[in-house]
Amino acid sequence: MNVLPVGDDALLVEVSSGEEAEALHADLLRRRAEGTLVAREIVPAARTVLLDGLADPARPASELAAADVPPAAPRAGRVVEIPVRYDGPDLADVAAHWGVAEDEVGRVHAGTEFHVAFCGFAPGFGYLTGLPARYDVPRRDTPRTAVPAGSVALAGPYTGVYPRSSPGGWQLIGSTDAVLWDHTRVPAALLSPGTRVRFVPRGPRCGHQGGP
Amino acid sequence: MTDRALAVVRAGALTTVQDRGRPGHAHLGVPRSGALDAPAAALVLRLVGCPPDAAVLETTLTGCALRPRCAVAVAVGGAPCPVTVDGRPVPWGAPVGVPAGALLNVGAADSGVRSYVAVSGGILVEPVLGSRSTDLLSGLGPPPLADGVVLPLGRPRGRHARVDVAPQPAPPSELVLRVTPGPRADWFTPEAVRTFTSRAYRVSSASNRIGLRVDGPALQRARSGELPSEGMVLGAVQVPPDGRPVVFLADHPTTGGYPVIGVVRTADLPAAAQAAPGTPVRFVAVRRR
């Protein structure tokens, strides 16, 4: 574990894999709940966990540098099901990257159990992992200026769902009506780090809504 | 709506509702947000007898004009600017009584960028995740003010302060930002690190609540390739591929994928909020505490 100081009251803890980052995140949350770690923010990411707002960064820094990350407990808790139509504009490109037929993309994607490795980019945007490495895809060469809310997308090893319309460079394979973020709801975010997720295929959108 | 309200007559270039922000949700991708010049916001709240977690208005360069529907105490601070009530000049940086229906004009900043307007009772828009702050990056909180909008006010709980004028720091003619080494300083050449902490930069007009952008020498990387996305702190100095440093301010993204060469001391960020485009900037290397 590599512990990097960030300013005067934060630490960036770097580990060697996404799985280790998730295990470390779970362990740090446990320590905070126990009261042995006081941190305003604990932010997991791809290979790191940021601890921000530390009263005394020197202590966790030395503790973490000496510690091993305990292996993550098996994922428990309910599985969030996200209905999806596999109708994205990049479906053909993704199928070509994967070397499969177009309709196979949805079958592989919906047959995978995902979980949220970390969040970021926008409130409610989760970086979901679960697809084997052979299904990694590059970002689009030219990002779109507006990706519609509810777009189900792939980039690198991750799947994500855009909570609201925003610019984005991920490959769009489908769409969902699921509400990823609603600040009037508790919790506001449908997905938070660790949440298990399954995508459930739906038929194409009915063309008769809203008039002729 | 009750008469405890404030009509926006002139919203100005960008006026937002701000309080102390919504820390604690970064792991969900929620920025901290909050007043960029937090000491100025805290001072004007104190002047009108509001608690420190109440909400104020944060203007940008051109001020705003407001018409309260009830008699209120108002204080304007941060960037110095002319303040009038029904056209008559009133003090800046001190509590002022505004009668119901009178027009409060917060003029364009004489210097600095952001003025803060506190109103007795506080701006009482609906909180989101415990904060009334407008977050321009993620769209949480109330939208920026628009002409004609009416903002609800709370009931005053304290008396306004009895002061003639409260001292406030002047906007910086040169912005000096103390920086500690960032977690990815080793992604840059030693030459780039020296350049960053020795050469002159200027505040760019592309600066906003998300980041203070600066013009000046580009910083060369020692390592190429992509940095996996990682958590970002307030004051992080991120360097995108063009080599021009960006200091992350209140509405910064909670994770990012460009290396952080340094981290600005939090105590220096209020001055960054008041540095107008063109202001000279120096990054001064300091040791961690």
Side-chain angles (χ1 to χ4, degrees):
Chain A
M1 225 174 331
N2 194 14
V3 182
L4 304 163
V6 183
D8 286 320
D9 66 351
L11 297 171
L12 188 68
V13 188
E14 189 175 39
V15 291
S16 50
S17 70
E19 293 72 38
E20 238 182 287
E22 289 178 52
L24 173 64
H25 177 234
D27 187 48
L28 292 168
L29 288 180
R30 184 186 56 74
R31 290 183 196 213
R32 182 163 70 175
E34 283 174 0
T36 54
L37 171 71
V38 177
R40 186 177 57 236
E41 308 272 11
I42 302 179
V43 189
R47 300 274 182 281
T48 56
V49 180
L50 174 75
L51 296 173
D52 193 9
L54 296 167
D56 172 22
R59 213 183 80 183
S62 58
E63 280 173 15
L64 287 165
D68 290 320
V69 186
R75 275 178 206 95
R78 74 193 177 93
V79 177
V80 170
E81 293 196 340
I82 297 181
V84 58
R85 295 174 294 269
Y86 288 102
D87 58 0
D90 300 327
L91 210 51
D93 286 352
V94 169
H97 279 295
W98 287 7
V100 301
E102 247 181 74
D103 56 0
E104 187 66 13
V105 173
R107 266 199 292 279
V108 169
H109 195 254
T112 303
E113 184 177 308
F114 292 90
H115 69 275
V116 180
F118 60 98
C119 294
F121 173 66
F125 188 90
Y127 291 76
L128 279 56
T129 55
L131 282 172
R134 68 175 178 281
Y135 295 121
D136 285 10
V137 293
R139 281 159 211 263
R140 284 169 49 82
D141 290 339
T142 310
R144 291 184 170 86
T145 53
V147 173
S151 293
V152 177
L154 305 180
Y158 302 113
T159 280
V161 184
Y162 284 78
R164 59 178 197 146
S165 175
S166 61
W170 289 32
Q171 311 269 3
L172 310 185
I173 60 167
S175 56
T176 179
D177 297 327
V179 177
L180 276 292
W181 177 267
D182 175 359
H183 70 259
T184 64
R185 183 174 67 187
V186 178
L190 182 65
L191 308 178
S192 56
T195 304
R196 299 156 77 198
V197 180
R198 231 172 225 294
F199 291 91
V200 181
R202 290 279 184 272
R205 195 196 295 265
C206 173
H208 301 294
Q209 292 161 347
Chain B
M1 187 174 280
T2 70
D3 62 352
R4 288 216 60 84
L6 191 65
V8 177
V9 176
R10 177 177 65 85
L14 173 68
T15 303
T16 59
V17 178
Q18 296 296 337
D19 57 15
R20 295 192 296 190
R22 44 182 76 83
H25 306 282
H27 62 289
L28 298 175
V30 175
R32 166 196 310 232
S33 199
L36 283 198
D37 185 346
L43 174 66
V44 291
L45 282 169
R46 221 156 49 232
L47 288 175
V48 298
C50 279
D53 58 349
V56 299
L57 298 179
E58 178 184 279
T59 69
T60 312
L61 291 169
T62 63
C64 65
L66 308 162
R67 198 185 295 280
R69 293 183 174 174
C70 53
V72 290
V74 165
V76 181
C81 61
V83 183
T84 61
V85 174
D86 280 341
R88 285 189 299 279
V90 296
W92 171 91
V96 169
V98 180
L103 182 70
L104 169 75
N105 192 66
V106 178
D110 293 327
S111 60
V113 178
R114 295 173 171 97
S115 298
Y116 291 86
V117 186
V119 182
S120 51
I123 311 290
L124 213 65
V125 295
E126 201 55 39
V128 173
L129 297 180
S131 165
R132 299 187 163 90
S133 287
T134 301
D135 169 356
L136 294 178
L137 181 72
S138 56
L140 301 184
L145 263 52
D147 295 356
V149 161
V150 176
L151 299 169
L153 295 175
R155 297 220 162 265
R157 282 184 283 166
R159 295 177 65 84
H160 67 74
R162 297 195 175 276
V163 295
D164 293 328
V165 68
Q168 297 183 50
S173 52
E174 182 195 30
L175 183 61
V176 179
L177 298 175
R178 292 169 294 169
V179 287
T180 54
R184 304 298 176 189
D186 62 341
W187 278 55
F188 298 88
T189 63
E191 177 64 27
V193 173
R194 268 197 304 278
T195 298
F196 173 54
T197 52
S198 62
R199 298 277 296 277
Y201 286 86
R202 273 180 195 281
V203 174
S204 153
S205 57
S207 298
N208 54 24
R209 284 185 44 85
I210 297 165
L212 181 86
R213 292 170 186 277
V214 297
D215 294 323
L219 303 175
Q220 303 293 327
R221 276 214 206 157
R223 294 175 61 167
S224 55
E226 277 193 50
L227 179 71
S229 193
E230 59 192 26
M232 291 284 145
V233 299
L234 184 68
V237 185
Q238 219 194 34
V239 183
D242 71 3
R244 299 294 183 316
V246 181
V247 182
F248 274 173
L249 302 180
D251 288 358
H252 74 85
T254 66
T255 59
Y258 298 129
V260 170
I261 192 171
V263 179
V264 174
R265 285 256 159 94
T266 312
D268 294 351
L269 294 174
Q274 298 296 1
T279 304
V281 186
R282 276 192 300 129
F283 296 95
V284 178
V286 293
R287 293 157 70 106
R288 274 183 211 96
R289 279 196 276 261

